[in-house]
């Protein structure tokens, strides 16, 4: 009996880029044309822009975790794990499953969308004492941690301990850091009303960034508006400043200030997934070099997109690359899926080109700044645009309904400030969530591929 092997398409990563690619492939390809496999530790797509609202309790974690198995057209095989190496010549992806087994997954076409990880620097104590805001677990953990500081401060009779537990430091003046500081400041401001022994004046939030401006992409006017909103709430903003060292009970700024605190949240940018360094391919500032069609030069059947790829920004020209935003990742996912289908059907590939539609920054409550299509908005109008954009970007009606319900419930009933006990008594910091030490070197990948391995999932 003759058997025909269908082409194997492997998509790495279930972020905005990877999920949009898989969904497009499912719609455009018949089951007989190709087998589609997705590598991801979790069978959900995380809606990252709303993580600060999870940390502040406005949204539940489930609201921003969008199931990959809900689609009626779903037929993609999911391997629960993370890619730790890829041999582009042998066309094999090395995967570490969630049970820590190493398996090899051969492919005919690969779409690399592993996303990014938190960018850190060689700052003493940073990874041991700082929290990140890149995963759902981190957002849930930070909420518990912040409420824990209020509980411990309320129970303490030591003025020094009480003051240190009520100081919070956020590093990073981009969207993630600004929204995190804004949302968590609102959380503590509301929660302290339930702690009659605590002086609200002791609660201090610090937002610092080495850059001279807060969210420079917004422009001077909106950037200043965001600063004014935060300062009016009591957030101390320090620009041109970073962290010199971090300890368990204090943080030293580069301007010499020492802030006693048990809470350091690090959101100072992202870098491409360490998976990219296992490929032995050309990179630009850590991101994989690709053509305008998002094909990896010189590698048959390999495509890359999203935060880990330096996709040329044809709308801007002059050698610009697309910024690592959800807006670009979603649209790149659709185009790269079309190009994979075109390759299968021997049709010409199409370049990716998309003009940025604007930016939205939700500062919580009625406060927001937005710049849709270049139009600068503030206050309620900006908040309406920001929340409307997020609802439109959420992939399923169930997710939209959950988020809208959470927003309404929080606006009407507020928060109960419940501490769930997530990882109680076990500290978890930056180094404990993103597993950046799990990847192979290119040499290890080649050595592994050349050595026969048992297949286990």
């Amino acid at each position: 009996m003759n058997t025909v092997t269908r082409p194997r398409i492997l998509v790495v990563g279930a972020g905005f880029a990877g999920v949009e690619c898989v969904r497009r492939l499912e719609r455009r390809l018949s089951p007989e044309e190709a087998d589609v496999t997705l590598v991801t530790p979790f069978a959900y797509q995380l809606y990252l822009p709303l993580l600060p609202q999870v940390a502040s309790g406005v949204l539940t974690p489930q609201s921003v975790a969008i199931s990959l198995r809900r689609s009626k057209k779903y037929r993609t095989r999911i391997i629960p794990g993370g890619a730790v190496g890829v041999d582009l010549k042998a066309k094999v992806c090395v995967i570490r499953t969630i049970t820590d087994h190493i398996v090899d997954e051969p492919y005919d076409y690969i779409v690399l969308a592993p996303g990014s990880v938190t960018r850190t620097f060689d700052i003493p104590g940073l990874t041991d004492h700082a929290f990140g805001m890149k995963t759902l677990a981190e957002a849930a953990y930070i909420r518990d941690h912040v409420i824990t500081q209020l509980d411990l401060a309320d129970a303490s009779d030591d003025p020094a301990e009480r003051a240190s537990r009520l100081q919070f430091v956020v590093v990073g003046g981009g969207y993630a850091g600004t929204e995190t500081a804004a949302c968590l400041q609102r959380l503590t401001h509301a929660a302290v009303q339930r702690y009659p022994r605590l002086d609200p004046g002791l609660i201090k939030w610090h937002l610092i960034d080495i850059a001279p401006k807060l969210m420079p992409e917004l422009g001077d006017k909106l950037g200043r508006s965001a600063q004014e909103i935060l300062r009016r709430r009591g957030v101390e903003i320090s620009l041109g400043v970073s962290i010199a060292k971090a300890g368990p009970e204090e943080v030293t700024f580069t301007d010499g200030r020492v802030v006693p605190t048990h809470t350091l949240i690090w959101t100072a940018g992202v870098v491409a997934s360490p998976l990219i360094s296992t490929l032995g391919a050309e990179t630009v500032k850590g991101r994989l070099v690709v053509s305008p069609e998002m094909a990896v030069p010189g590698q048959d059947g390999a495509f890359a997109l999203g935060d880990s790829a330096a996709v040329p920004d044809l709308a801007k020209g002059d050698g610009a690359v697309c910024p690592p935003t959800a807006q670009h990742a979603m649209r790149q996912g659709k185009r790269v899926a079309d190009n994979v289908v075109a390759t299968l059907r021997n049709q010409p590939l199409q370049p990716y080109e998309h003009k940025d539609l604007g930016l939205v920054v939700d500062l919580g409550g009625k406060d927001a700044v937005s710049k849709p299509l270049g139009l600068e908005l503030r206050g309620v109008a900006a908040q309406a645009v920001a929340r409307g954009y997020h609802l439109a970007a959420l992939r399923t009606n169930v997710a939209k309904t959950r988020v809208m319900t959470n927003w309404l419930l929080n606006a009407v009933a507020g928060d109960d400030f419940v501490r769930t006990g997530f990882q109680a008594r076990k500290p978890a910091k930056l180094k404990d969530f993103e597993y950046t030490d799990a990847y192979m070197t290119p040499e290890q990948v080649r050595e592994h591929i050349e050595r026969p391995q048992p297949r286990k999932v």
Side-chain angles (χ1 to χ4, degrees), residues 197-435:
R197 296 182 69 245
L198 293 181
D199 177 5
L202 289 177
I203 297 180
K204 295 180 181 178
W205 280 88
H206 301 265
L207 175 61
I208 71 173
D209 196 291
I210 196 65
K213 296 180 181 179
L214 201 66
M215 296 181 293
E217 298 89 344
L218 281 174
D220 290 341
K221 291 182 180 180
L222 287 184
R224 283 197 301 269
S225 294
Q227 287 190 51
E228 290 168 5
I229 291 169
L230 294 179
R231 283 177 171 149
R232 191 167 60 243
R233 292 189 194 169
V235 178
E236 182 177 323
I237 300 172
S238 301
L239 300 175
V241 177
S242 189
I243 296 296
K245 62 179 179 179
E249 297 181 3
E250 67 178 28
V251 172
T252 302
F253 293 177
T254 52
D255 62 5
R257 283 179 290 166
V258 178
V259 177
T261 181
H262 294 258
T263 308
L264 171 61
I265 302 174
W266 180 267
T267 64
V270 296
V271 294
S273 166
L275 177 67
I276 299 305
S277 65
T278 74
L279 305 178
E282 184 182 358
T283 60
V284 174
K285 295 182 179 180
R287 300 171 75 181
L288 189 63
V289 170
V290 295
S291 69
E293 295 77 20
M294 291 171 285
V296 181
Q299 302 295 339
D300 177 51
F303 298 83
L305 67 162
D307 292 6
S308 287
V311 179
D313 192 340
L314 300 183
K316 290 184 178 179
D318 296 326
V321 297
C322 296
T325 65
Q327 186 180 146
H328 279 291
M330 292 170 70
R331 289 161 177 79
Q332 289 170 7
K334 294 176 181 178
R335 176 49 52 88
V336 87
D338 290 343
N339 283 341
V340 171
V341 173
T343 303
L344 280 168
R345 297 173 180 173
N346 295 315
Q347 297 171 349
L349 308 186
Q350 298 297 320
Y352 170 75
E353 185 171 2
H354 169 69
K355 186 177 181 180
D356 203 311
L357 298 179
L359 307 164
V360 296
V361 182
D362 189 336
L363 300 174
K366 298 179 181 178
D367 295 325
V369 290
S370 300
K371 197 175 182 180
L373 301 174
L375 179 64
E376 296 186 349
L377 300 174
R378 299 167 181 79
V380 176
Q383 184 66 279
V385 170
R387 297 204 165 181
Y389 171 80
H390 291 316
L391 287 175
L394 288 166
R395 195 170 42 78
T396 68
N397 289 329
V398 171
K400 297 178 198 289
T401 302
R402 283 200 182 108
V403 168
M404 284 192 293
T405 302
N406 282 181
W407 279 340
L408 178 61
L409 186 61
N410 186 266
V412 173
D415 194 334
D416 286 332
F417 311 109
V418 172
R419 180 160 49 91
T420 63
F422 183 76
Q423 289 199 339
R425 298 179 181 271
K426 180 183 177 184
K429 301 299 171 74
L430 260 173
K431 63 179 183 179
D432 299 310
F433 283 104
E434 297 191 45
Y435 308 107

Side-chain angles (χ1 to χ4, degrees), residues 5-82:
T5 302
R6 290 186 293 269
R8 299 161 297 184
I9 302 172
L10 181 66
V11 180
V12 176
F16 289 103
V19 170
E20 288 296 329
C21 176
V22 166
R23 290 291 174 251
R24 187 83 153 200
L25 290 172
E26 288 179 335
R27 287 192 295 269
R28 293 207 55 198
L29 291 173
S30 67
E32 293 74 27
E33 280 189 275
D35 292 326
V36 181
T37 300
L38 177 65
V39 180
T40 176
F42 310 104
Y44 63 75
Q45 176 194 358
L46 176 62
Y47 190 79
L48 270 169
L50 291 178
L51 270 190
Q53 296 190 35
V54 173
S56 64
V58 174
L59 298 176
T60 63
Q62 188 181 12
S63 302
V64 300
I66 306 167
S67 173
L68 299 179
R69 301 186 186 276
R70 181 172 284 276
S71 170
K72 293 180 179 179
K73 294 183 178 180
Y74 170 80
R75 67 172 187 272
T76 298
R77 168 178 166 245
I78 294 178
I79 300 179

